Amino acid sequence: MQIMTMAWRNVWRNTRRSVVTIGAMTFSLLMMICASSFYEGMLNKIEANIVEVEIGDIQIHHSDYRDSPSIYDTIDASRNLVESLEANNYQTSERLLGGGLAASSETSAGARLFGINVVDDADVSLIFERVEEGQWLDPEDARGVVIGRLLARTLNIKVGDELILLSQAYDGSMANDLYRIRGILGSISEATDRGGVFMLAEAFQEFFILDGGAHRLMVRRPASLELPDALQAVKDVANTKELEVKSWRELSPILATMIDSALQMLQIGFLVIYVAVVILLLNAMLMAVFERVREFGILKAIGVSPGSVMRLILMEGAIQTAIAILLGCLLSLPALWYLVYVGIDLGELGGTTVMGMIIDPNIYGMISYQTFTMPLIILLIVVVLGILYPAIKAAKITPIQAMYHQ
């Protein structure tokens, strides 16, 4: 308690220096907490776009489909597999996939056709929430389709206009039909934006003269299961060499690596910024030690141990750090509120593509235990490193050295 009292008095003996040191630590901590929240929110949004909209947690295809996509490589008895997965609490939806040419009265462009069951698909994908103009598919509207925003721009069509689709049917004949634009999607991914055409599964089967089956099963895992465990469980249910079962991390390895490494890069950024804080803290504490050499000599002369002197210096640093942490956390509250509820408008950067995924124009922060723990842990580590040398220096001062100190 006596060391605590002495340390508190010593901190405020040079108020200006202490305020500058505390201010630097507070500002650094505040910036790091906000940066952590922002990057967590951005990465969480990217992952949500991948899992909740485009890919799902797990996908099942015919073993040959992904290497060489073909309308003939369907999953036999896909409905039975869906029922087995859903019996194990895995929400699953069938998707039919095909390619073709989409045309308007003015021009044409390549298209990726998706045939979906509207009810089942809503359990595994939130793409229906991304309709920017018009409405999502309706089981009662067999001729209605929803297309990507860039495809709509390329074809110069809008909601209510007609869309011509051409392709090769399952039996080798020419498939062609006329549809009506029911809705236009917002930003999803580059591939979907440029060529995505979503239609009812029944309309897809009629267009391609396809009887049953599915090209892809999209699976969502229970919230209580980690992805590797869920992947293995789905493989056990599928249990055939004719099917390929992959998690979204295997389907998009570059994006998965980017998400994994981004927070690590953020930690490195924290460390770089905190190095400046260490230099400032080290300089301030060394000046405080050199100014008080005679004081430490007297303390040693009256019997104070080197360990007590060392604890005194460490306590002074701890007091300044504690004040900085308190101020940094308090000041971060309104900043975090702004990030979470208002967000950051990226302006021209919004809508740009990163590895095939569209970045939303507005990025919102998120708050988790890592938002605070990661900046705090790194701050504490660098503060200890910055204080340790001055504390050891002070502990080694002898009464004789203090007498001759100028």
Side-chain angles (χ1 to χ4, degrees), residues 325-365:
I325 290 174
L326 179 62
L327 291 175
C329 291
L330 288 175
L331 291 174
S332 70
L333 296 179
L336 290 176
W337 179 90
Y338 183 87
L339 285 173
V340 171
Y341 293 103
V342 179
I344 302 296
D345 186 356
L346 297 181
E348 295 295 329
L349 291 177
T352 56
T353 302
V354 176
M355 300 179 187
M357 292 303 299
I358 301 294
I359 296 180
D360 289 347
N362 290 305
I363 299 295
Y364 296 90

Side-chain angles (χ1 to χ4, degrees), residues 18-28 280 324 327:
S18 296
V19 167
V20 170
T21 304
I22 292 171
M25 286 193 287
T26 300
F27 181 76
S28 299
L280 177 63
L327 291 175

Side-chain angles (χ1 to χ4, degrees), residues 29-90:
L29 179 61
L30 173 62
M31 292 299 101
M32 293 306 98
I33 290 175
C34 292
S36 179
S37 173
F38 176 78
Y39 278 103
E40 280 186 74
M42 181 175 69
L43 296 175
N44 184 70
K45 187 65 175 178
I46 291 175
E47 184 172 345
N49 284 340
I50 297 170
V51 174
E52 296 179 359
V53 179
E54 276 277 274
I55 298 178
D57 291 308
I58 299 166
Q59 286 189 0
I60 303 175
H61 300 89
H62 187 280
S63 57
D64 297 329
Y65 185 84
R66 287 205 316 123
D67 292 332
S68 181
S70 169
I71 195 171
Y72 301 104
D73 291 330
T74 58
I75 301 171
D76 296 330
S78 59
R79 193 67 233 170
N80 294 336
L81 182 54
V82 169
E83 291 174 356
S84 298
L85 288 168
E86 292 189 338
N88 287 277
N89 202 27
Y90 289 87

